[in-house]
Amino acid sequence: MQSISILAYMKEFRNVDGPHLVMVPKSTLSNWCNEFKRFCPSLRVLRFHGSKEERADIVEEHLRAHTIADRTWDVVITTYEVVNLEKGPLTKIAWKYLVIDEAHRLKNEDSQFSQTVRQLSTQHRLLLTGTPLQNNLHELWALLNFLLPDVFASSEQFDEWFNLDVDDMEMKQRMITQLHKLLRPFMLRRLKVD
């Protein structure tokens, strides 16, 4: 709902109607499409999925629009697998917002999916995940690097800044406090009770 809300806000109050790209697990693809129709029917959604032939038709008919006026959609919703298979046409579009559901898939920056989405031209990136990072600083760095590669360029430097393998508990607590301050502008945390 919050992800759809930000895209609805961009359309209704900022006059930015895309193009936006939403990547989701295959099991939630239909639900995402239904939620867009239910909560923001003014955003035109294109479901990008199907057989190789069906995807080729979608690319030819919808994704190769020559002008903004020719575009018949505002939001493309697709799966991680389709992004890997169809990166050619997807990398040719300058996306306003990229939303990745279950974004913990990006925690391995060397995975095919992570490499593919890093090739996309995006103005804004929104990552959704309910999976904790299990205190693994490298996984946290990989997500931050995806969001802001210029700021979080080096995993080695990040590991140096926040090396929690120290015996001094007071020093460790100071580092954790600093890490929380660093993360605050990048993270909206919602608990189950919320």
Side-chain angles (χ1 to χ4, degrees), residues 175-192:
M175 280 191 269
I176 291 170
T177 301
Q178 286 299 106
L179 187 57
H180 287 174
K181 284 181 185 174
L182 174 76
L183 293 175
R184 195 169 292 128
F186 304 107
M187 186 177 293
L188 174 62
R189 186 169 180 230
R190 195 177 60 194
L191 302 174
K192 282 186 180 184

Side-chain angles (χ1 to χ4, degrees), residues 50-91:
S51 68
K52 184 176 182 179
E53 295 77 21
E54 290 169 327
R55 293 191 318 268
D57 289 344
I58 292 170
V59 168
E60 194 58 43
E61 196 174 316
H62 298 284
L63 295 182
R64 296 204 181 166
H66 298 290
T67 66
I68 293 172
D70 293 339
R71 201 175 71 221
T72 60
W73 52 270
D74 303 310
V75 179
V76 170
I77 302 178
T78 192
T79 64
Y80 318 124
E81 296 78 17
V82 170
V83 169
N84 283 331
L85 292 170
E86 301 293 346
K87 69 181 175 185
L90 293 173
T91 56

Side-chain angles (χ1 to χ4, degrees), residues 1-8 126 128 188 190:
M1 185 62 200
Q2 290 173 324
S3 305
I4 294 169
S5 295
I6 189 85
L7 300 182
L126 177 61
L128 309 174
L188 174 62
R190 195 177 60 194

Side-chain angles (χ1 to χ4, degrees), residues 15-139:
N15 295 317
V16 175
D17 58 1
H20 307 302
L21 179 59
V22 178
M23 298 177 194
V24 302
K26 184 179 178 185
S27 62
T28 65
L29 183 63
S30 294
N31 190 51
W32 271 91
C33 293
N34 292 337
E35 295 296 289
F36 266 98
K37 285 179 194 159
R38 182 175 174 202
F39 291 107
C40 190
S42 63
L43 280 170
R44 301 168 298 168
V45 172
L46 174 64
R47 179 185 166 139
F48 187 26
H49 201 262
S51 68
K52 184 176 182 179
E53 295 77 21
E54 290 169 327
R55 293 191 318 268
D57 289 344
I58 292 170
V59 168
E60 194 58 43
E61 196 174 316
H62 298 284
L63 295 182
R64 296 204 181 166
H66 298 290
T67 66
I68 293 172
D70 293 339
R71 201 175 71 221
T72 60
W73 52 270
D74 303 310
V75 179
V76 170
I77 302 178
T78 192
T79 64
Y80 318 124
E81 296 78 17
V82 170
V83 169
N84 283 331
L85 292 170
E86 301 293 346
K87 69 181 175 185
L90 293 173
T91 56
K92 291 184 172 106
I93 298 171
W95 303 98
K96 298 291 183 187
Y97 262 88
L98 168 63
V99 178
I100 302 178
D101 191 8
E102 303 293 339
H104 53 272
R105 292 178 58 106
L106 294 170
K107 67 185 180 182
N108 176 2
E109 74 274 14
D110 295 324
S111 71
Q112 181 183 1
F113 176 66
S114 183
Q115 294 296 314
T116 299
V117 295
R118 289 169 187 272
Q119 295 174 31
L120 297 170
S121 170
T122 59
Q123 196 170 23
H124 304 284
R125 295 174 175 182
L126 177 61
L127 304 180
L128 309 174
T129 184
T131 303
L133 298 172
Q134 305 301 328
N135 298 324
N136 185 321
L137 283 179
H138 187 79
E139 292 176 4

Side-chain angles (χ1 to χ4, degrees), residues 136-142 144-145 151-164 175 179 182-183:
N136 185 321
L137 283 179
H138 187 79
E139 292 176 4
L140 175 60
W141 171 83
L144 292 170
N145 172 261
V151 176
F152 299 101
S154 166
S155 66
E156 291 82 15
Q157 187 177 38
F158 190 79
D159 290 342
E160 271 180 44
W161 290 342
F162 301 106
N163 180 5
L164 298 177
M175 280 191 269
L179 187 57
L182 174 76
L183 293 175

